[in-house]
């Protein structure tokens, strides 16, 4: 028996194409989004000086 997801995936649109956010990783320094079509986006936090 397989697992059936009852909630839809979040979506993000990049370069005129829509991707589903399959899962994410979050830590102190970055957020990594794993998208459909084997795409991965990493957003890194940088400390800025004021």
């Amino acid at each position: 028996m397989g697992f059936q997801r009852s909630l839809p995936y979040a979506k993000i649109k990049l370069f005129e194409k829509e991707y589903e956010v399959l899962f994410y990783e979050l830590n102190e320094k970055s957020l990594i989004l794993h998208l459909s079509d084997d795409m991965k986006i990493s957003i890194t936090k940088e400390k800025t000086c004021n």
Side-chain angles (χ1 to χ4, degrees):
M1 184 186 308
F3 175 78
Q4 185 174 5
R5 184 176 169 90
S6 60
L7 296 174
Y9 288 107
K11 294 182 181 179
I12 186 170
K13 189 171 185 178
L14 298 168
F15 312 116
E16 302 299 321
K17 186 173 180 184
E18 195 170 82
Y19 297 92
E20 292 180 327
V21 179
L22 302 177
F23 64 97
Y24 66 92
E25 299 173 53
L26 180 63
N27 61 45
E28 293 176 9
K29 296 182 181 179
S30 67
L31 167 66
I32 302 169
L33 300 175
H34 294 264
L35 308 176
S36 53
D37 291 347
D38 293 325
M39 183 177 282
K40 183 169 36 171
I41 296 177
S42 179
I43 302 169
T44 304
K45 180 179 178 182
E46 293 184 10
K47 189 172 185 177
T48 59
C49 298
N50 292 334

